[in-house]
Amino acid sequence: MGKFLTGEGLENAITDIIHDAEKELLIVSPYIKLDDYFKDLFLKHEKNPNVRITLIFGKNEKSIKKSLSIADLDFFKKFPNVSVVYVKNLHAKYYANERKGVTTSINLYDYSFKHNIEFGVYRQSSLKDYISDNFDTDIYTFCHDLTEEYPAIYIKRPIFEKKNFGLSTNYLGSEVLWDQSNGFVNNKFDESKVVSDFEDKISIEAKKEGGKLTREEFEAQQKLPEEISKGQKITFKENKPEVPIKSQEKETTGYCIRTGVEIPFNPERPFCLEAFRSWNYWKDDNFGEKFCHFSGEPSYGNTSKAKPILYKNWKKVKALK
């Protein structure tokens, strides 16, 4: 159940969401203006490529930089894993990480926190909430949909190489995939690109043309439809899968999030027995796994025992109920 917050309680909830993020940080605010305190909170994630920051802002069509200054945009550009999206008619405000969220009246604007009367509703999420109808999951999904409908302004993604037979990765740096900073100067930019047009993570192996496949990549490739050429190395986007989503006839079938083999669909038990024994050694609920429990498509670290289903598949899971 949600908790009503205002004043200091509201500020503490939002600053905790920013500070405590470990995998996801979603900021939805028409106006953004950072003081030194907010910058210090964000800087905790400056060198952490595993925290995916999504920034959605809006308003001021005739002068976009009034909603997000060039200086604040440049600040966010230093992070290793960040998406910035412009929604021209945005008025909603929402702050969330992978565990909690606040729906509120307050912009990410230092003046608002210091002087305005604002309030919001706070909620923490569990795995049960993740797979069932609740307002916070619905809001998160709606905000994700905004990134599919409105133009991306800036996209930067981490580059990883696989280690220990694909069970872990090594961060090599980040690459800017899309930058429309100049649009802030002349108030014009390309609206054809959205967040899902870009990979969530970049595999150094995929960047090496003609490089050999690892065993894990080869075995995953054998599960692809026959119409995809077997000799081709395939990369997947979280939001645009190259493998088909399972049909209603297979609604009780799930997939092990570590091996990809078929198992009964149960988000509370997303491993096959062999994979569970491996997971049980460390018991890390947030360890990035290889597949989506719902669709079976490669997830490249974007699923875990805590969240075994890719975000884009939430609505399809709910439709099974």
Side-chain angles (χ1 to χ4, degrees):
M1 183 175 179
K3 180 180 180 181
F4 176 81
L5 296 174
T6 189
E8 184 178 354
L10 177 62
E11 179 173 3
N12 287 339
I14 292 174
T15 54
D16 284 350
I17 285 170
I18 296 171
H19 182 270
D20 297 343
E22 295 179 354
K23 297 189 72 175
E24 299 280 340
L25 180 54
L26 173 62
I27 305 293
V28 181
S29 176
Y31 299 95
I32 296 174
K33 185 176 181 181
L34 304 178
D35 61 6
D36 290 341
Y37 175 63
F38 275 117
K39 288 181 180 179
D40 187 66
L41 291 172
F42 279 103
L43 284 173
K44 176 188 176 184
H45 311 301
E46 182 182 7
K47 300 184 184 301
N48 187 353
N50 295 312
V51 177
R52 179 170 56 183
I53 299 175
T54 302
L55 190 71
I56 303 175
F57 75 104
K59 296 288 190 181
N60 288 308
E61 290 183 72
K62 295 182 179 180
S63 184
I64 299 172
K65 60 186 179 183
K66 289 183 178 179
S67 294
L68 175 64
S69 70
I70 295 175
D72 284 336
L73 175 62
D74 287 342
F75 173 79
F76 284 109
K77 286 166 67 173
K78 70 173 65 179
F79 292 87
N81 192 352
V82 61
S83 304
V84 181
V85 176
Y86 175 67
V87 179
K88 62 182 180 181
N89 55 345
L90 182 69
H91 191 69
K93 298 91 177 176
Y94 180 64
Y95 305 83
N97 60 27
E98 65 276 1
R99 293 185 302 276
K100 46 196 176 184
V102 172
T103 308
T104 179
S105 62
I106 196 167
N107 284 291
L108 188 62
Y109 198 135
D110 54 354
Y111 182 91
S112 299
F113 282 85
K114 295 175 183 177
H115 301 287
N116 292 355
I117 295 176
E118 310 273 4
F119 58 83
V121 178
Y122 168 85
R123 183 183 174 95
Q124 283 188 290
S125 297
S126 63
L127 178 59
K128 181 179 179 180
D129 295 327
Y130 175 73
I131 60 175
S132 63
D133 289 314
N134 73 84
F135 78 94
D136 199 61
T137 299
D138 289 340
I139 295 169
Y140 200 107
T141 302
F142 179 82
C143 293
H144 178 271
D145 290 345
L146 290 178
T147 69
E148 300 296 289
E149 300 172 11
Y150 290 91
I153 301 298
Y154 184 83
I155 303 289
K156 188 177 182 181
R157 292 291 181 261
I159 303 171
F160 292 96
E161 66 174 347
K162 295 180 180 180
K163 308 289 286 186
N164 300 322
F165 305 100
L167 294 176
S168 62
T169 57
N170 181 40
Y171 174 60
L172 301 178
S174 291
E175 180 177 336
V176 176
L177 303 181
W178 187 245
D179 187 355
Q180 297 204 79
S181 301
N182 291 337
F184 276 66
V185 177
N186 55 31
N187 217 52
K188 295 181 181 179
F189 48 84
D190 186 346
E191 298 187 17
S192 65
K193 298 291 186 180
V194 297
V195 170
S196 64
D197 290 325
F198 306 93
E199 299 289 345
D200 292 316
K201 298 178 181 179
I202 301 172
S203 166
I204 191 63
E205 289 82 8
K207 290 174 70 67
K208 296 176 181 177
E209 184 177 358
K212 72 179 182 67
L213 299 176
T214 65
R215 179 177 295 276
E216 290 78 15
E217 289 169 334
F218 175 83
E219 291 175 350
Q221 192 180 75
Q222 303 313 299
K223 297 181 175 67
L224 298 177
E226 292 183 1
E227 59 266 22
I228 299 177
S229 57
K230 293 184 178 181
Q232 180 183 2
K233 186 169 184 178
I234 305 296
T235 56
F236 294 86
K237 296 180 183 179
E238 182 184 290
N239 298 300
K240 289 190 174 180
E242 299 290 342
V243 293
I245 301 299
K246 59 183 179 179
S247 62
Q248 291 295 320
E249 305 89 70
K250 291 186 176 182
E251 63 182 24
T252 58
T253 300
Y255 300 86
C256 173
I257 60 176
R258 183 161 293 188
T259 66
V261 301
E262 291 189 0
I263 58 175
F265 180 71
N266 183 347
E268 295 185 358
R269 296 184 177 181
F271 294 109
C272 65
L273 180 59
E274 179 183 357
F276 175 78
R277 288 170 176 166
S278 173
W279 172 86
N280 197 49
Y281 183 81
W282 296 105
K283 296 182 179 180
D284 184 353
D285 286 353
N286 295 309
F287 181 79
E289 300 292 349
K290 297 184 177 68
F291 300 92
C292 174
H293 181 55
F294 174 75
S295 66
E297 66 197 270
S299 63
Y300 292 97
N302 290 311
T303 54
S304 63
K305 184 177 185 298
K307 290 190 173 182
I309 301 167
L310 289 171
Y311 288 125
K312 62 173 184 174
N313 290 329
W314 286 359
K315 291 181 180 178
K316 298 181 182 71
V317 174
K318 292 179 182 179
L320 297 179
K321 290 179 168 289

